[in-house]
Amino acid sequence: MNGLAFQQCISHSCARRYGCDDVLFACRACGSLLDINYDWSRCEVPKSLSFFEKRWSTPGRDLVARADFSGVWRFRELLPFAALEDIVTLAEGRTQLQQADDLATKVGIKPGNLFLQYEGFNPSGSFKDNGMAAAFTIARKHGRRRVGCASTGNTSASMAMYASQTRTQRGEPMQPIVFVGGGKISLGKLAQALDFGALTLQIDGDFDACMSLVQQAANQLDLYLMNSVNPFRLEGQKTIMYRVLEGLGWHVPDWIIVPGGNLGNSSAFGKAYMELRTLGLVDRVPRLAIINASGADTLSRLVNCEQLKYEGGRIDSTRVHSFYGRMKAEGRAAKTIASAIEIGRPVNLPKALRALEYMNGVVRDVPDEAILDAKALVGRHGFGCEPASAASVAGLQLLREKGVISPSDTVVCILTGHALKDSDATVHYHQSIVNDQHQLKLKTFANTPIRCPATIDAISTCIRHSSVVS
Ligand code: F0G
């Protein structure tokens, strides 16, 4: 650790500070979440974001080249908690901001103004790798061997991958332990955790139950927690915003739209812009839209129905507790096809409320049908994505319909995970027949495979009658 960074309780009335070598996941004094903060006056921060362009590089073996080849550590001056020699990297964050003109036309945005930030290009196929690079750097520095997380699938895949390729400073292998809800994660993600050698505990319960268990295990079983309550994870995830700005030639967009699950990303994005403004590196901040699935809409309900706000850190926690109390009494649990965001009790709620306040944000929820239709559109016009990621595009459609976003706004949708993470959902969408007002129909953007006899004539007939290839 370099003495420039410290952990700090986010509660304004507490704001207690701790050193970065203190292993903790909540404030010891009041139990609130922690931030990693910096003494910026002692940090070497570039005067302009364009400084980072000089890091566009080819791979190399020395420490600087390895860090520069990472889409996280390339921005190391903006997350200065680690010395160069301590950095863990698997070349994460080499992602792309794709201009999506055809999709823009479909959703009522001016061509040239819609961008998809595709995080599926990360080594384990999701945005989680940005955070794991940061969290493994600190875990290794702390000399921790046993790492653990609760997961809807991507955190576990990413953590297991980093654990399998990282050794402690004493050269020992790490021991990854993942807690997943039995039958709750897609096969692709489960396959990753198994392949990477994680001890995979299929818990009788949902993500929220796993999250509560892994927090107890962290306290009692010497487990280093890799969920996004670990504030170092969010430092890595800030870099998604730096890469978005980079892709836009350092211009700030009007909107960032992100799916909301455990609310780590939205929290990290808010912090990124708070710091960029403080450092004078941007002159304005985009608006934030966090999109829940309607079947897992805790944030949407709390913000839109219960009027919960950050209010400069004075969150009305009694309102949150009574909301969760009602949820329990009514037996209401999260349920959505977008399994990655099937979460009822998001752990980063206070930080997400802070991000919403700072970025003049909105929260919406979208039904599974809209998510799957949006996913098919992203597949047809972009690199594809998994269902949860498409919530951002479904959210954009909703916000356009309601006039919250206008056609001339510049919009960036974050596509959080790779298309192949949940191929079952995709194939099912393209093949299934739905009963719509007593009419059997295919889904709106279905592209069904056609059984075809093995003759050239039959193939020729199929091509002629095809409505897809044109
Ligand atoms: N999209 C994908 C593909 C995810 O895997 C997740 C979260 C989210 C969106 C939501 O992001 O939590 O930052 O609001 N997945 C976690 C997991 C919970 O365990 O893989 P968030």
Side-chain angles (χ1 to χ4, degrees), residues 234-422:
L234 301 192
E235 290 305 286
Q237 287 169 222
K238 289 190 312 193
T239 64
I240 299 171
M241 280 305 105
Y242 308 151
R243 296 196 300 272
V244 162
L245 292 173
E246 184 176 54
L248 294 172
W250 310 112
H251 291 295
V252 177
D254 296 310
W255 285 93
I256 299 290
I257 311 186
V258 63
N262 227 2
L263 304 178
N265 260 344
S266 35
S267 301
F269 298 172
K271 186 170 187 283
Y273 283 105
M274 283 158 68
E275 291 172 349
L276 289 177
R277 277 289 294 217
T278 304
L279 295 169
L281 292 171
V282 292
D283 53 10
R284 67 186 193 99
V285 167
R287 294 189 69 185
L288 177 68
I290 306 179
I291 312 299
N292 278 161
S294 299
D297 59 351
T298 296
L299 183 70
S300 178
R301 283 184 194 230
L302 283 172
V303 168
N304 298 321
C305 309
E306 307 286 325
Q307 315 302 330
L308 191 71
K309 291 196 176 69
Y310 188 60
E311 305 199 82
R314 290 175 299 279
I315 299 168
D316 183 354
S317 52
T318 51
R319 229 179 294 176
V320 181
H321 289 135
S322 76
F323 178 85
Y324 286 148
R326 283 200 306 280
M327 225 169 112
K328 196 168 171 196
E330 291 164 15
R332 218 165 3 97
K335 186 95 199 96
T336 166
I337 184 83
S339 57
I341 51 173
E342 193 178 79
I343 294 173
R345 291 173 175 244
V347 293
N348 288 299
L349 176 66
K351 286 185 178 176
L353 292 171
R354 179 176 70 179
L356 286 166
E357 181 177 271
Y358 190 72
M359 297 176 74
N360 187 18
V362 297
V363 184
R364 294 291 184 272
D365 62 271
V366 286
D368 283 0
E369 304 79 67
I371 289 177
L372 289 175
D373 284 343
K375 196 186 93 61
L377 279 177
V378 171
R380 194 141 331 157
H381 300 297
F383 296 121
C385 65
E386 65 166 287
S389 314
S392 59
V393 174
L396 166 60
Q397 287 179 297
L398 180 68
L399 291 164
R400 266 299 296 119
E401 271 161 38
K402 302 287 178 201
V404 180
I405 293 182
S406 80
S408 59
D409 285 345
T410 308
V411 180
V412 177
C413 291
I414 310 298
L415 299 183
T416 44
H418 198 283
L420 296 178
K421 286 279 191 175
D422 191 354

Side-chain angles (χ1 to χ4, degrees), residues 81-100:
F81 66 82
L84 203 53
E85 59 273 20
D86 293 333
I87 280 173
V88 170
T89 176
L90 297 178
E92 55 288 316
R94 298 184 61 77
T95 57
Q96 263 192 48
L97 185 78
Q98 187 188 26
Q99 184 173 318

Side-chain angles (χ1 to χ4, degrees), residues 153 157 185-194 420-424:
I185 76 172
S186 74
L187 280 185
K189 297 173 191 175
L190 179 62
Q192 287 182 290
L194 299 176
L420 296 178
K421 286 279 191 175
D422 191 354
S423 45
D424 280 358

